[in-house]
Amino acid sequence: MSNIPIEDYGLLSDRHSAALVGRTGAVDWLCFPRFDSPAVFAALLDDRAGTWSIRPVGPFEVRRRYLDGTMVLRTEFHTPSGVLALTDALDTGRCTQVHRLGAEAAHLLIRHVHATEGSVELAVEFRPRPEYGLVRPQFTEHEGGLFARGGADLLALSTPLAHRRDEEGMSARAALRAGEELSFGLHWGPLGGAPPGLHGAGELRRRLRDTVESWRAWSREHEGYRGPWQDLVRHSGRVLQALSYQPTGAIVAAVTTSLPEEPGGTRNWDYRYSWVRDAAFSMDALWVAACPDEADEFFAFMKDAAATSWTGSRLQIMYGIGGEHDLSERELAHLGGWRGSRPVRVGNGAWRQPQLDVYGELLDTAARFAEQLDAADPALRLFLPGLADAAAGAWDTEDHGIWEIRGEPRHFLYSKLMCWVALDRALALADRLDAGERIGDWERARERVRAEILERGWNEEVGAFTQSFGSSALDASALMLPITGFLPATDPRVLRTLDAVAEGLTDSRGLVARYRTGPGVDGLAGAEGSFLLCTFWLAQAQALAGRVAAARETFSRAAGHRNDLGLLAEQVDPRSGLLGGNFPQAFSHIGLVNAAWAIARAEDTARSA
């Protein structure tokens, strides 16, 4: 069982895979060669499941940051005798006009230590446990390091230190004086493939420099947002880029599995897949934060991944990052879970759920990136109109909604709203997609959806739009009514809904819950924390309504829960204020970007009035 707070971790990414590094210099989560691969280090979920630690011997204080414009992490350990700087990165390869960021990733974790003041005694502990801790690899010595073999993974550890080795792994100590440096590398290779290499200090330092410059080159070319909280927005853009899978254009919801919505609870899910909703929202946020040029990659992924599932049936709500359809869920009974939160799950059973909102999210993103899309692409001209046809044909059926309720399907307001968005955006794209003959059908369907939402989504007794037709339950997703443009933010019904959410779903910290959990509400036991995305939605809707001061306050409360590296999890425990849920969470960074942008535009409007 692991007890380390989620906010203690920093993210590394090469746009293929990810690592989480704790404040004490321990890599407690690493998946090679993909985000969804079995973890090599999984101490995040169980102390016995593998780690790689580099830290001073004895007491120390920590200061850390990302190097400017990068996702390269620098941790400074301040000890009574000196200061040690640890720089960690997943090697992205060079980013050039030919090769996009991560295109030449080598599946190599680089760790560089440098004594900057005084002298520091260093301790290194290397205990890989492939396949989520199931495999205890065999170790063999080679000049310049050692190899670990076991299961489907071959690991090469480059180390300059003399070390002790046993069946658990490798450990070493060294004393460094000011100016002295050491470089380490962990290189992954597949069983039966090209073996991973051992790298000398010069090669590792060159690769580290290339990675720093590659991230900075991407950041220089993607500085789209200027306005309030500019540094936070641009950093969130880098985080979203770090959550994207370069080979296909997929975007993961988070890099972890089974970090719980409630400590010790059972609401523990695997988020290392590409939800249509989350990925589309990520592209929209990148449009604000970073002016991305990856829209073509994203839509190529979506139309190819969905090519056999959307025609004549429903679009899946998520896919594997390589386009896989079957994401069957299973439990890892050998892992104790973060703070005893079990079961630990891999895969996600929600892939089978019908969720009607996905059509709207994809078409909304397509409309935003219309100029970047190849309108002459026959597959795209078939795919996008097909999404609108699917929304027109299915909007009046029940589904499981945006929050993936694991109970009975219902007529969720948000699902109907996004079917309206699908039809509205398809109409805007019709000429570009040469779909003029569909305009009449889409217009009629759009008006039917709109009428149903206005008649059945509004609850006069509650004084708000509610979670589902005929329900009295509040749901933060109703805040999307003004955000999508379905109704003006100044509409009296919208304003009353904003007030109802602020009063009925907000905790003592000023953070917004998705909805109120309870017996029979969502088919799950236990509770959950307040949801950062929903809090940012409230700030965004308040800004659209002209309530700019309230929007700023709401934004600041949510953004104030980022960790010292600017990373946000999915939720916040309303009692302790600690982060909860998978981490870092794309949804939360999406919400931050969009809320900041809405506030900036509202302030510009107020100044020009």
Side-chain angles (χ1 to χ4, degrees):
M1 182 175 75
S2 172
N3 286 303
I4 297 173
I6 293 169
E7 49 263 52
D8 276 11
Y9 287 100
L11 168 70
L12 309 178
S13 169
D14 57 6
R15 298 192 67 216
H16 289 246
S17 53
L20 294 182
V21 186
R23 290 178 59 83
T24 59
V27 180
D28 287 341
W29 184 255
L30 173 63
C31 297
F32 271 149
R34 301 188 350 169
F35 291 112
D36 57 353
S37 297
V40 172
F41 304 123
L44 176 70
L45 298 175
D46 193 307
D47 291 337
R48 302 164 297 176
T51 188
W52 181 14
S53 171
I54 298 178
R55 71 185 73 183
V57 176
F60 55 82
E61 295 182 355
V62 172
R63 301 173 192 167
R64 59 183 184 165
R65 62 182 177 87
Y66 285 112
L67 300 185
D68 291 345
T70 79
M71 296 300 294
V72 175
L73 179 61
R74 179 183 173 94
T75 304
E76 289 186 350
F77 300 100
H78 293 253
T79 77
S81 61
V83 178
L84 185 75
L86 169 63
T87 304
D88 288 319
L90 280 169
D91 176 16
T92 63
R94 291 187 177 182
C95 178
T96 67
Q97 292 181 341
V98 177
H99 299 291
R100 286 179 171 173
L101 179 66
E104 295 189 314
H107 310 308
L108 171 66
L109 172 60
I110 303 169
R111 314 198 73 187
H112 177 74
V113 292
H114 177 203
T116 60
E117 297 179 23
S119 62
V120 180
E121 186 178 3
L122 177 72
V124 180
E125 182 181 10
F126 176 71
R127 291 192 292 107
R129 293 290 183 272
E131 294 192 45
Y132 305 107
L134 278 178
V135 175
R136 286 176 173 261
Q138 294 181 341
F139 299 94
T140 54
E141 300 283 350
H142 288 262
E143 183 179 356
L146 56 87
F147 285 84
R149 292 178 171 85
D153 298 289
L154 295 175
L155 300 171
L157 176 68
S158 301
T159 173
L161 296 180
H163 53 266
R164 298 186 301 276
R165 181 174 58 81
D166 56 28
E167 64 180 14
E168 295 294 322
M170 179 275 280
S171 60
R173 288 198 175 190
L176 275 68
R177 293 188 296 271
E180 293 183 327
E181 304 175 65
L182 298 172
S183 295
F184 302 83
L186 181 63
H187 199 177
W188 176 91
L191 184 67
L198 295 171
H199 305 283
E203 173 70 5
L204 290 170
R205 292 173 193 176
R206 182 192 65 79
R207 287 174 176 264
L208 179 59
R209 288 193 300 270
D210 285 348
T211 297
V212 170
E213 181 49 38
S214 292
W215 274 108
R216 286 177 173 164
W218 185 87
S219 293
R220 285 192 298 269
E221 294 171 5
H222 297 82
E223 294 183 345
Y225 177 81
R226 288 174 174 81
W229 304 288
Q230 182 169 293
D231 290 344
L232 295 185
V233 169
R234 291 181 177 177
H235 179 58
S236 287
R238 280 189 292 275
V239 172
L240 293 173
Q241 182 73 353
L243 297 179
S244 64
Y245 183 58
Q246 192 280 328
T248 65
I251 302 173
V252 297
V255 304
T256 56
T257 181
S258 300
L259 293 181
E261 298 175 9
E262 177 187 34
T266 60
R267 296 173 181 242
N268 317 319
W269 317 110
D270 192 346
Y271 277 16
R272 298 171 300 155
Y273 306 110
S274 190
W275 270 254
V276 172
R277 172 192 313 115
D278 302 46
F281 283 166
S282 293
M283 288 304 302
D284 293 342
L286 279 167
W287 180 83
V288 174
C291 296
D293 51 12
E294 290 85 9
D296 56 341
E297 292 179 352
F298 171 70
F299 278 99
F301 167 75
M302 286 309 313
K303 70 180 182 348
D304 291 341
T308 61
S309 70
W310 69 272
T311 303
S313 64
R314 63 180 177 85
L315 184 71
Q316 280 188 200
I317 68 163
M318 69 176 90
Y319 297 92
I321 58 176
E324 299 85 358
H325 287 217
D326 186 346
L327 306 178
S328 295
E329 187 173 291
R330 63 188 176 93
E331 298 179 4
L332 302 181
H334 66 285
L335 294 178
W338 184 83
R339 296 195 173 178
S341 303
R342 302 182 69 187
V344 172
R345 296 179 171 97
V346 294
N348 197 303
W351 72 275
R352 296 180 179 275
Q353 289 188 355
Q355 294 178 24
L356 303 177
D357 60 290
V358 293
Y359 306 113
E361 281 118 8
L362 270 181
L363 281 164
D364 189 45
T365 301
R368 177 163 286 180
F369 286 93
E371 297 302 317
Q372 292 187 33
L373 300 181
D374 181 5
D377 179 356
L380 199 64
R381 294 175 73 164
L382 184 67
F383 177 63
L384 293 178
L387 296 176
D389 290 341
W395 71 267
D396 59 350
T397 61
E398 298 177 325
D399 73 341
H400 290 270
I402 181 176
W403 308 131
E404 297 171 5
I405 302 296
R406 295 206 175 191
E408 293 299 316
R410 306 173 208 164
H411 289 287
F412 284 100
L413 173 77
Y414 179 81
S415 299
K416 312 304 182 190
L417 170 64
M418 296 312 292
C419 285
W420 177 89
V421 169
L423 295 160
D424 185 73
R425 302 325 188 244
L427 286 165
L429 290 165
D431 289 342
R432 186 173 180 82
L433 297 172
D434 196 23
E437 77 284 355
R438 288 176 160 102
I439 288 177
D441 290 339
W442 290 345
E443 285 179 337
R444 286 186 288 273
R446 180 182 63 175
E447 293 313 305
R448 287 196 297 271
V449 180
R450 180 178 179 83
E452 283 288 293
I453 291 173
L454 293 176
E455 179 181 347
R456 301 178 63 192
W458 174 260
N459 187 309
E460 186 60 41
E461 291 184 5
V462 178
F465 287 97
T466 54
Q467 185 178 68
S468 57
F469 289 174
S471 168
S472 61
L474 293 171
D475 192 302
S477 63
L479 296 168
M480 289 295 288
L481 287 162
I483 292 171
T484 58
F486 179 85
L487 283 173
T490 53
D491 184 288
R493 292 163 295 183
V494 171
L495 294 175
R496 291 177 67 185
T497 300
L498 264 63
D499 292 338
V501 168
E503 181 178 346
L505 291 181
T506 302
D507 66 21
S508 61
R509 297 177 180 275
L511 304 178
V512 179
R514 297 188 291 184
Y515 54 89
R516 292 300 180 196
T517 58
V521 172
D522 56 14
L524 297 167
E528 64 180 29
S530 298
F531 215 75
L532 287 171
L533 171 66
C534 296
T535 310
F536 285 122
W537 274 350
L538 178 59
Q540 187 176 358
Q542 288 170 330
L544 292 172
R547 299 175 174 180
V548 181
R552 274 189 163 271
E553 290 178 6
T554 303
F555 180 96
S556 295
R557 285 195 295 270
H561 286 278
R562 66 193 186 278
N563 74 356
D564 58 320
L565 296 172
L567 302 176
L568 293 164
E570 180 182 50
Q571 301 182 19
V572 174
D573 186 298
R575 295 174 297 276
S576 67
L578 296 177
L579 296 181
N582 284 303
F583 176 83
Q585 176 79 4
F587 254 175
S588 300
H589 287 277
I590 291 163
L592 183 152
V593 169
N594 289 332
W597 187 49
I599 292 168
R601 288 188 298 165
E603 291 179 337
D604 286 345
T605 299
R607 280 193 293 268
S608 61

